[in-house]
Amino acid sequence: MDVFPSSSPSFQRSPQDVPIVGLVYDARMCAHQNESNSEHPEQPERISSIYQCLKSAGIVARCVKVEAREATDEELRSVHTESHVELMKAVSSRTYGRHGRKGIAKRYNSIYFNEGSSESALLAAGSVIEVSDQVAQGKLKAGAAIVRPPGHHAEADAAMGFCLFNNVAIAAHLLVHKKKQLGVQKLLIVDWDVHHGNGTQHMFWSDPQVLYFSVHRFDDGSFYPAGDEGNYDHVGVGKGAGYNINIPWPHGQFGDADYLAVWEHVLMPVARKYNPDMVLISAGFDSAEGDPLGECRVTPTAYFKMTKQLMEIAEGRVVIVLEGGYNLTSISNSYLACMHALLGDVFLENPTHLNSLLAPTLPLIEKVQNELQKYWPVLSINQKVSCPRPIAGQVLSSKLESSKEVMCQSVDAMFPSSTTNGVDNIQDSHKFATKVGHSSEIVHTSSAVSREEQVLSTREGTENSYVWYVCYGSNMWLPRFMCYIQGGQVEGMVDCCIGCRDPSPPLASLWLTIPNRLFFGRNYSYTWGIGGVAFIDPLPERDVKTHVRAYKITLEQFKDIFHQENCIEGIPNQKFPIDANLIQSLKNGLPATSYTIFEDGWYGTIIYLGDQDGLPILSFTCSLDDMAKFRSGELDVHRPSAAYEQAIVRGLIENMDLSKEQAKDYIVGARCPNPTPGM
């Protein structure tokens, strides 16, 4: 079996002084195995595959070898009952025999024993204690333990879920409560195993000196270990209230973007505030892509990033301890990525992109924040969340500083710039101006002229020259469009817009038809929830007539709307040169009449559609690369949500004299272009 596929991420060795990282592994822990089922997922090859992967990659040679040792009775009794310790030590002895061990195993949930179980369990616990102690003592900068059996399900008085002793909990309790001379007064446990660490949670349920964080599948309490204790409202009791944090995924398939969003908006703000002296990671890789039990999609890319972020706290004193993970390829590559992070290596981006956020992620994060903000006020500051990628620019203004952060749904739209052919066949339907405010009432053009003269007298310079901004989705309904101008939200939106720096309403609007096909792509947006959102093909097609509404606004407002549409926070700057020079280039068709100005945005391509009254008609949509992905099915084409569709319908029937049925038929008729469109 190819344990180390070529598709795994690549790394560049750190040019700086290499941190002293300890690694503990002992093949004796492979003696624990299921005698009745050689295909049992918790198999010896889990740790031998990881070790061989690290050895082949040169990681073992770069680490300090930490000798494995057995945990003592006193150490084990720090979190386990004496009777449990005695039974786990004795269960592999001849006293019980194979038949007796099977009988004992039946007392527990998902447990097996053999002649090697006791020694393996003692070595696993003792090895984690040893490497953790050496990090706390300063002998090592960081550490890693390739151990089995795992530990986080083990209760004080019972083995459970493949776990005999709770390895991480033992080491944590000893550091905080028994070895105070080492100076670990506060300790953070991060558990990213796909299963909730019920045992660890119970052992520190009322302890403020250990902050336990777990992100796991919950499935309404039906996923192992089952029950409601892994839900986000279980936060600890007494002095420990607020020191237990659960992120319960409602199903499988959560991946890189979801986990990194949780890191950015829950874990890391709390961790920085808590300021622990040390971090222990219960590193279960059954949340990895390809795991048969977890069915989630975390890649080595994300494990590297999550580890790297945790190294920013506690002066980098981080220990990685293996928990679950049952795909040998996944656990080997994932553990390797974490080791590269510990060693300070530079991550070279995979050519593949991070998984996009799933629909439940952002609402779940907000629920967790709301539950915990009374304990961690820092979470109330970060009430609105964004996708885990850099946000360009500075804050728009003091007005926007106090508003909710701009939301962004995905991190997978990183495609190269593209251009397209010119668009013609602009048809003027009818023209009118709009009233100030969120009213869709039409006012006469003559009144707009005096309004325009008044506004123009107060606006000067290139930034305040005018353009026609073409809308083809929900913005065709004026109240919805005014959310982009003045901030706020309309019925059906689940997030507020922050508005433009200049909240003045458009001077006029007109209806047009354009030869660019309308379709609905993606399957979720934070503004509207589950469902597709409107795009137009950057390329025109013969005999296509798409209804659009054009608003007369300033170039500055156009820039601000571009930023809001693409989830960019900040003042438009040289990175996004939307100016007279760009517009003139588009007019001249140099290099074409569209230009991808923001490769990381859903609507990062600006299109020039013609002129009206001497002003350019502009819009933005997806890049040509994204368009190819929509055509091929790599990006989803999806019907819009009911609320989003209703906003479009209202725009069409209020101003295009269409019936509700005609408007709905128009939306239903919108489809993704054929693979080879043309004029």
Side-chain angles (χ1 to χ4, degrees):
M1 180 181 63
D2 181 15
V3 179
F4 324 118
S6 59
S7 60
S8 59
S10 56
F11 300 85
Q12 178 178 323
R13 186 165 177 166
S14 173
Q16 303 173 349
D17 293 337
V18 178
I20 302 175
V21 177
L23 178 65
V24 59
Y25 167 79
D26 195 310
R28 287 179 292 171
M29 285 179 278
C30 293
H32 173 63
Q33 54 188 301
N34 191 315
E35 297 174 329
S36 302
N37 179 13
S38 60
E39 301 299 320
H40 192 281
E42 210 294 275
Q43 56 184 288
E45 289 78 10
R46 294 177 61 242
I47 59 171
S48 60
S49 293
I50 292 173
Y51 185 75
Q52 289 304 316
C53 176
L54 300 189
K55 190 173 182 179
S56 298
I59 297 296
V60 173
R62 296 172 61 191
C63 294
V64 175
K65 181 180 180 181
V66 176
E67 295 292 340
R69 69 168 177 86
E70 294 186 1
T72 67
D73 288 5
E74 182 180 2
E75 289 170 333
L76 296 170
R77 287 196 299 266
S78 66
V79 300
H80 290 288
T81 63
E82 185 170 357
S83 60
H84 178 70
V85 172
E86 292 303 320
L87 180 57
M88 293 302 102
K89 288 178 58 181
V91 72
S92 294
S93 66
R94 294 181 180 179
T95 303
Y96 291 98
R98 184 171 181 177
H99 181 73
R101 283 190 285 273
K102 283 188 174 182
I104 295 172
K106 288 180 180 179
R107 302 180 193 173
Y108 302 116
N109 185 334
S110 303
I111 288 294
Y112 67 79
F113 297 112
N114 75 332
E115 291 181 352
S117 297
S118 295
E119 182 182 34
S120 296
L122 290 169
L123 284 169
S127 296
V128 175
I129 296 169
E130 184 62 31
V131 70
S132 299
D133 281 0
Q134 291 193 27
V135 172
Q137 293 165 3
K139 295 179 180 179
L140 302 170
K141 180 64 176 178
I146 308 173
V147 297
R148 64 179 290 272
H152 71 152
H153 291 307
E155 299 282 4
D157 59 353
M160 181 179 176
F162 310 161
C163 305
L164 306 191
F165 294 124
N166 198 317
N167 308 318
V168 167
I170 296 168
H173 189 278
L174 290 171
L175 286 172
V176 171
H177 296 292
K178 301 296 183 180
K179 302 175 181 179
K180 296 184 178 182
Q181 72 278 8
L182 298 181
V184 181
Q185 299 180 16
K186 294 183 294 183
L187 187 143
L188 169 64
I189 298 175
V190 175
D191 189 340
W192 65 48
D193 190 283
V194 79
H195 302 95
H196 178 239
N198 53 286
T200 310
Q201 175 169 297
H202 291 155
M203 290 171 180
F204 301 106
W205 187 237
S206 60
D207 189 346
Q209 290 186 257
V210 177
L211 172 59
Y212 177 64
F213 172 92
S214 177
V215 53
H216 51 268
R217 278 188 65 174
F218 184 62
D219 296 34
D220 292 324
S222 63
F223 197 74
Y224 194 89
D228 62 355
E229 292 186 341
N231 209 355
Y232 66 85
D233 57 354
H234 282 59
V235 299
V237 296
K239 293 182 179 180
Y243 293 91
N244 193 90
I245 300 176
N246 286 318
I247 309 292
W249 298 133
H251 50 73
Q253 299 304 308
F254 288 85
D256 294 2
D258 309 290
Y259 279 74
L260 291 172
V262 167
W263 252 238
E264 181 176 352
H265 299 291
V266 180
L267 175 58
M268 294 310 296
V270 171
R272 294 186 188 101
K273 193 68 176 178
Y274 185 59
N275 192 25
D277 300 302
M278 193 164 165
V279 179
L280 300 184
I281 302 176
S282 278
F285 297 108
D286 41 9
S287 50
E289 190 166 35
D291 190 89
L293 300 188
E295 298 179 329
C296 283
R297 301 176 60 200
V298 183
T299 70
T301 298
Y303 286 121
F304 175 89
K305 291 175 179 287
M306 293 190 292
T307 304
K308 203 73 171 177
Q309 289 185 45
L310 289 170
M311 292 177 67
E312 295 173 3
I313 58 177
E315 297 182 354
R317 288 189 288 267
V318 175
V319 176
I320 296 173
V321 179
L322 181 65
E323 295 283 1
Y326 309 100
N327 177 308
L328 300 185
T329 299
S330 295
I331 60 175
S332 299
N333 288 328
S334 299
Y335 207 109
L336 173 62
C338 294
M339 292 302 298
H340 278 296
L342 290 187
L343 287 165
D345 293 344
V346 178
F347 175 61
L348 302 178
E349 288 286 352
N350 237 5
T352 55
H353 304 300
L354 297 175
N355 304 320
S356 59
L357 286 170
L358 295 188
T361 300
L362 301 180
L364 174 59
I365 288 174
E366 288 196 7
K367 290 179 181 178
V368 173
Q369 289 176 325
N370 290 334
E371 185 70 34
L372 291 168
Q373 61 182 325
K374 61 183 175 182
Y375 308 106
W376 302 101
V378 66
L379 295 181
S380 62
I381 298 173
N382 295 294
Q383 197 55 223
K384 282 296 175 185
V385 294
S386 61
C387 65
R389 60 173 172 77
I391 297 177
Q394 300 173 345
V395 178
L396 278 171
S397 67
S398 57
K399 166 184 174 288
L400 302 186
E401 248 177 68
S402 60
S403 66
K404 297 181 178 180
E405 291 182 16
V406 180
M407 296 301 305
C408 186
Q409 148 63 15
S410 178
V411 295
D412 68 340
M414 302 178 182
F415 307 111
S417 301
S418 62
T419 58
T420 182
N421 296 324
V423 178
D424 53 16
N425 195 32
I426 302 293
Q427 301 175 9
D428 193 346
S429 176
H430 59 277
K431 178 172 27 176
F432 53 87
T434 58
K435 287 182 65 176
V436 179
H438 286 207
S439 170
S440 58
E441 180 181 345
I442 300 173
V443 300
H444 297 293
T445 305
S446 59
S447 65
V449 174
S450 61
R451 168 67 179 161
E452 179 173 0
E453 291 173 349
Q454 179 184 9
V455 175
L456 282 174
S457 67
T458 62
R459 299 178 180 178
E460 299 178 355
T462 304
E463 284 291 298
N464 294 321
S465 59
Y466 282 84
V467 299
W468 291 98
Y469 165 49
V470 160
C471 306
Y472 43 83
S474 62
N475 286 340
M476 293 190 293
W477 183 37
L478 178 61
R480 163 65 180 105
F481 175 71
M482 290 303 297
C483 296
Y484 272 144
I485 297 295
Q486 297 180 341
Q489 63 192 110
V490 295
E491 181 180 358
M493 290 172 61
V494 295
D495 186 47
C496 289
C497 295
I498 61 174
C500 295
R501 288 170 287 174
D502 178 0
S504 301
L507 296 178
S509 74
L510 56 90
W511 286 86
L512 309 167
T513 59
I514 62 174
N516 301 70
R517 186 178 298 277
L518 173 72
F519 67 98
F520 297 95
R522 308 284 182 169
N523 55 25
Y524 178 84
S525 69
Y526 196 82
T527 303
W528 294 98
I530 296 175
V533 288
F535 295 90
I536 54 173
D537 188 350
L539 294 177
E541 292 184 64
R542 182 180 291 114
D543 300 326
V544 169
K545 292 184 179 181
T546 294
H547 298 305
V548 298
R549 189 175 190 177
Y551 295 99
K552 190 174 184 179
I553 60 176
T554 68
L555 182 57
E556 178 189 273
Q557 289 175 318
F558 181 80
K559 289 184 180 183
D560 289 351
I561 294 172
F562 178 84
H563 271 224
Q564 293 179 69
E565 280 278 23
N566 287 289
C567 307
I568 312 164
E569 184 181 349
I571 298 174
N573 52 36
Q574 293 180 354
K575 186 175 182 180
F576 306 109
I578 307 173
D579 54 22
N581 292 331
L582 173 63
I583 294 172
Q584 189 60 49
S585 295
L586 293 173
K587 283 185 176 184
N588 296 336
L590 300 173
T593 54
S594 71
Y595 181 67
T596 301
I597 196 169
F598 181 38
E599 297 176 3
D600 198 18
W602 284 10
Y603 297 92
T605 297
I606 296 179
I607 305 178
Y608 169 69
L609 297 166
D611 284 340
Q612 178 70 33
D613 298 334
L615 297 177
I617 303 173
L618 305 174
S619 189
F620 29 76
T621 185
C622 62
S623 70
L624 204 58
D625 272 8
D626 276 14
M627 194 67 245
K629 295 176 188 291
F630 282 123
R631 291 192 189 103
S632 68
E634 187 175 343
L635 289 177
D636 289 337
V637 176
H638 200 286
R639 179 173 179 152
S641 67
Y644 187 74
E645 180 178 315
Q646 178 64 18
I648 299 175
V649 168
R650 293 185 70 170
L652 291 170
I653 65 177
E654 290 179 9
N655 301 300
M656 284 289 292
D657 298 325
L658 297 179
S659 68
K660 188 173 184 179
E661 291 70 26
Q662 288 174 321
K664 286 189 173 182
D665 288 344
Y666 170 76
I667 294 171
V668 171
R671 59 182 176 82
C672 191
N674 295 324
T676 55
M679 292 297 290

